[in-house]
């Protein structure tokens, strides 16, 4: 029987304690996102990583170019900080 989540360890060691079915479910979900969701299907992207696909922009199109560059730099730095936080 699978272990309750409270019995699974923390960190990298805990990832090896996840039941096989759970690990496969995560793997297939990420694969689905990579193959069918997270790609530019309309050709409207402004930069690498722009996956809006003409659907939702939260006001992005209303910003001037300088503001867009600043917001992209902030997001890039947040991503770097998150990667460092994993270490």
């Amino acid at each position: 029987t699978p272990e309750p989540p409270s019995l699974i360890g923390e960190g990298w060691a805990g990832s090896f304690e996840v039941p096989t079915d759970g690990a496969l479910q995560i793997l297939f979900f990420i694969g689905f996102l990579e193959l069918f969701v997270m790609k530019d299907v309309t050709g409207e992207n402004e930069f690498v990583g722009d996956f809006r696909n003409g659907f939702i922009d939260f006001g992005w199109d209303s910003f001037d170019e300088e503001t867009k560059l600043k917001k992209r730099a902030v997001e890039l730095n947040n991503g770097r900080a998150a990667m460092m936080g994993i270490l």
Side-chain angles (χ1 to χ4, degrees), residues 8-18:
I8 293 177
E10 297 177 358
W12 187 248
S15 66
F16 294 109
E17 297 175 16
V18 174

Side-chain angles (χ1 to χ4, degrees), residues 4 9-10 19-20 32 45-47 49 59 63 66 68 71 81 87:
E10 297 177 358
T20 305
F32 172 79
N45 61 339
E46 292 184 33
F47 49 87
F63 298 130
E66 183 179 341
K68 287 180 181 181
K71 288 185 176 288
L87 297 176

Side-chain angles (χ1 to χ4, degrees), residues 62-82:
S62 65
F63 298 130
D64 60 9
E65 290 304 314
E66 183 179 341
T67 304
K68 287 180 181 181
L69 284 174
K70 182 178 178 183
K71 288 185 176 288
R72 286 180 55 203
V74 167
E75 185 63 24
L76 183 61
N77 286 333
N78 286 341
R80 290 175 177 155

Side-chain angles (χ1 to χ4, degrees), residues 5-6 9 17 20 23 27 37 42 44 56 58-59 61-62 66 72 76 81 83:
S6 61
E17 297 175 16
T20 305
L27 179 72
V37 178
T42 61
E44 299 173 355
I56 193 166
F58 296 112
D61 293 331
S62 65
E66 183 179 341
R72 286 180 55 203
L76 183 61
M83 287 186 276

Side-chain angles (χ1 to χ4, degrees), residues 2-62:
E3 295 182 20
S6 61
L7 297 178
I8 293 177
E10 297 177 358
W12 187 248
S15 66
F16 294 109
E17 297 175 16
V18 174
T20 305
D21 290 342
L24 288 174
Q25 183 179 16
I26 293 169
L27 179 72
F28 286 131
F29 180 67
I30 292 172
F32 172 79
L33 290 177
E34 286 287 333
L35 292 173
F36 300 108
V37 178
M38 302 300 288
K39 60 183 180 177
D40 181 31
V41 294
T42 61
E44 299 173 355
N45 61 339
E46 292 184 33
F47 49 87
V48 175
D50 180 10
F51 300 121
R52 291 177 292 153
N53 292 320
F55 176 65
I56 193 166
D57 68 356
F58 296 112
W60 180 258
D61 293 331
S62 65

